[in-house]
Amino acid sequence: MSLSKINTILEGVCERSAPNLGDLVFLLSLNEDEQVPLFDFADKIRKNFVGDGVLLRGIVEFSNFCRNTCSYCGLNVNNKKLTRYRLSTEEVLESVKIISECGIKTVVLQSGEEDVYPAVWLGELIKEIKLKFDIAVTLSVGERLEKDYALWRKSGADRYLLKIETSNKALYESLHPGMSFNNRLGCLDRLKGLGYQTGCGNIIGLKGQDLRHLAEDIIFFKKHDFEMIGIGPFIPHQETGLRGELKGDPKLALKVLALTRIITKNTHLPATTALGSQEKDFRADALKSGANVLMPNFTPLKYKALYEIYPGKKCITEDGSSCLGCLEANILPKGRYLDFSRGDSLKYKERITTNV
Ligand code: SAH
């Protein structure tokens, strides 16, 4: 296929409000030489809609306890080899202090899906963070009851990240024994209803997933108008049901990322850690293919290796504050800069203004 023909298809996909599934499958199947115009197009849309700044989110993985059996994730409850940990309030506050001293204005509090700690504990922690620091709080702690989401929102949480992982119900349920796709969708709706800036995302290269599923994921992202979307390749973990499966192709993840940028325009799209944890660090490529966010890890060093959702995770041997220099030197493409603003969702602002 000629490059000009590919560009014509890209323009059609960009302009249409409801993307065509066949076009997306076609673009996802472009080979190495053909995919250059896709990445360049996404980079142009990124520049026009979210600019050259690369927003920073400091992540604190505060607990690796999990009650679930997600068949790709090393934190799954059946992994008895993993030493479990939960940070104390003081340890979380210390990590947030370091994030804040680095000038970063968003903390992402992430954990396995556990319901051992009371919702009130996390609520009080959010309140203390908001009292002590000028920082946006993003939660990523999985499926909970609406009353917990409401409590945390009232305590000051601004954003919530809950990836759909795959938007195909049958595939979702085959990979998440005992979990319900409809409940996950319901959680996303409830989070939006409570006024959280809501993030979603998927995993690329799951067992049983094909290009059509990925195209449907992108259409799902567009339909739900999420404020953030995290896209990362699958990395097999020995202590999971998917041990021995092939790893996801980072280049396919880049294509999904690029199309998500072209179609969803002003969404915040991270260059994910899973893209960084490959034979080479693909986060630099991601930033040139539509991404505009980086998420340095500020989990205390002694726990970092224990948050092992997959093996070979990037940046677990140094502390978060040394990350910034490294990101700037090794990951930032020419013409881009680290943006130390809060980086609230551009969609959310749009919605608030149109509602007044
Ligand atoms: N308990 C929270 C956070 C889960 S960990 C929740 O349910 O939302 C954060 C993300 O890591 C997951 O959403 C998933 O997309 C990703 N992940 C987990 N295992 C992975 C693997 N083996 N390969 C790639 N990504 C993985």
Side-chain angles (χ1 to χ4, degrees):
M1 165 88 53
S2 79
L3 298 189
S4 75
K5 247 192 167 150
I6 294 171
N7 265 315
T8 311
I9 296 174
L10 282 167
E11 269 154 29
V13 161
C14 179
E15 277 157 23
R16 223 170 275 140
S17 57
N20 174 289
L21 189 78
D23 285 346
L24 296 187
V25 172
F26 165 75
L27 292 166
L28 289 173
S29 61
L30 294 176
N31 67 30
E32 287 275 319
D33 302 327
E34 294 168 332
Q35 66 200 13
V36 177
L38 166 63
F39 296 148
D40 289 350
F41 201 101
D43 200 41
K44 218 170 58 199
I45 300 286
R46 186 271 310 152
K47 191 176 175 66
N48 288 347
F49 282 86
V50 297
D52 288 330
V54 175
L55 294 166
L56 295 162
R57 321 297 197 194
I59 184 161
V60 182
E61 298 149 336
F62 68 91
S63 161
N64 68 354
F65 283 91
C66 192
R67 62 183 166 188
N68 284 335
T69 53
C70 307
S71 60
Y72 44 83
C73 183
L75 305 190
N76 76 83
V77 65
N78 296 326
N79 181 1
K80 305 290 183 216
K81 291 197 181 150
L82 184 65
T83 306
R84 304 283 169 166
Y85 73 89
R86 185 179 313 110
L87 267 58
S88 65
T89 297
E90 291 66 37
E91 285 173 313
V92 177
L93 289 173
E94 183 53 32
S95 305
V96 181
K97 181 164 174 267
I98 299 169
I99 294 175
S100 183
E101 282 168 356
C102 287
I104 297 177
K105 296 213 173 48
T106 296
V107 55
V108 180
L109 298 177
Q110 192 177 79
S111 71
E113 193 170 305
E114 64 155 320
D115 44 15
V116 181
Y117 61 79
V120 174
W121 174 78
L122 186 52
E124 291 305 309
L125 178 59
I126 297 164
K127 278 192 208 157
E128 275 205 57
I129 292 174
K130 298 300 270 196
L131 203 68
K132 291 200 163 96
F133 307 100
D134 173 22
I135 202 161
V137 173
T138 302
L139 300 179
S140 176
V141 304
E143 295 177 30
R144 298 283 296 226
L145 296 175
E146 178 158 23
K147 68 176 174 51
D148 296 349
Y149 290 156
L151 173 79
W152 298 333
R153 178 85 183 109
K154 225 171 123 201
S155 306
D158 304 275
R159 312 181 188 138
Y160 204 103
L161 189 56
L162 184 71
K163 291 173 68 173
I164 194 71
E165 319 296 4
T166 168
S167 64
N168 182 283
K169 186 172 190 292
L171 186 58
Y172 179 92
E173 290 183 350
S174 78
L175 295 162
H176 300 89
M179 289 170 78
S180 140
F181 181 74
N182 288 342
N183 191 54
R184 202 154 187 94
L185 283 184
C187 284
L188 285 165
D189 279 348
R190 291 190 274 278
L191 289 164
K192 280 194 162 208
L194 287 163
Y196 281 97
Q197 297 174 43
T198 306
C200 199
N202 64 349
I203 302 181
I204 311 300
L206 290 166
K207 187 183 178 194
Q209 186 188 51
D210 57 27
L211 294 187
R212 207 184 150 88
H213 290 128
L214 293 174
E216 284 167 355
D217 287 352
I218 300 169
I219 293 173
F220 173 87
F221 297 148
K222 166 80 176 170
K223 183 171 148 218
H224 289 264
D225 201 23
F226 295 110
E227 348 272 352
M228 313 168 256
I229 298 164
I231 295 161
F234 163 65
I235 302 172
H237 188 294
Q238 259 319 101
E239 301 302 322
T240 65
L242 295 187
R243 78 180 69 80
E245 292 298 326
L246 283 179
K247 70 186 206 57
D249 176 3
K251 294 197 178 136
L252 179 57
L254 290 178
K255 286 191 264 186
V256 176
L257 169 72
L259 279 172
T260 303
R261 167 61 70 207
I262 294 167
I263 285 166
T264 68
K265 311 287 190 296
N266 60 357
T267 314
H268 290 315
L269 301 178
T272 53
T273 308
L275 269 169
S277 309
Q278 304 287 330
E279 63 281 7
K280 73 166 240 205
D281 191 331
F282 279 94
R283 287 179 299 175
D285 304 78
L287 291 173
K288 290 188 254 181
S289 312
N292 72 317
V293 177
L294 282 168
M295 298 177 72
N297 188 334
F298 285 82
T299 306
L301 208 47
K302 64 175 169 177
Y303 301 114
K304 262 189 177 177
L306 296 176
Y307 198 80
E308 199 193 45
I309 49 183
Y310 47 74
K313 197 147 145 253
K314 191 80 188 168
C315 308
I316 54 170
T317 52
E318 65 268 10
D319 56 36
S321 45
S322 55
C323 278
L324 290 184
C326 171
L327 293 176
E328 196 145 32
N330 302 318
I331 313 285
L332 266 195
K334 223 169 127 246
R336 308 287 287 282
Y337 62 94
L338 296 182
D339 181 345
F340 286 85
S341 63
R342 255 174 73 109
D344 280 303
S345 156
L346 302 162
K347 295 172 191 285
Y348 191 73
K349 278 191 205 141
E350 258 170 26
R351 268 186 230 130
I352 302 262
T353 357
T354 41
N355 282 344
V356 212

